[in-house]
Amino acid sequence: SRSMEKSVKDTWTYDAEYNGKEEGCGDLIMTLFKFFKTVPSGSRVCITAYDKGAIIDIAAWCRSTNKELIESEPPHYLILKK
């Protein structure tokens, strides 16, 4: 069954996790901005976001905020806070 399948995020190593669920781009980016303020530099963060535009929005947000998008396997994204 599908629930028995391992998710790609089960293979990732990360320090914090944020589930953006179905949040649209504007809300997701604002929430990520606030969430990342609570995360220490050098942390790897796993984000789950189901919005169709999330892959574009998260990549752009990482570029504009000096975060590293280590891996993206929608709906999961692994980000390094530098």
Side-chain angles (χ1 to χ4, degrees), residues 43-74:
S43 296
R44 291 161 61 105
V45 179
C46 177
I47 294 168
T48 301
Y50 293 97
D51 184 78
K52 294 278 183 263
I55 189 166
I56 295 163
D57 297 329
I58 289 172
W61 180 76
C62 285
R63 282 193 302 274
S64 67
T65 59
N66 195 33
K67 313 269 184 306
E68 181 185 344
L69 182 56
I70 300 169
E71 212 170 324
S72 63
E73 196 70 48

Side-chain angles (χ1 to χ4, degrees), residues 14-53:
Y14 49 90
D15 307 295
E17 185 172 6
Y18 176 74
N19 188 344
K21 300 183 183 79
E22 305 289 337
E23 286 179 355
C25 60
D27 292 334
L28 177 64
I29 296 306
M30 283 307 299
T31 311
L32 286 180
F33 185 76
K34 292 176 188 160
F35 180 79
F36 269 82
K37 282 185 173 181
T38 70
V39 176
S41 291
S43 296
R44 291 161 61 105
V45 179
C46 177
I47 294 168
T48 301
Y50 293 97
D51 184 78
K52 294 278 183 263

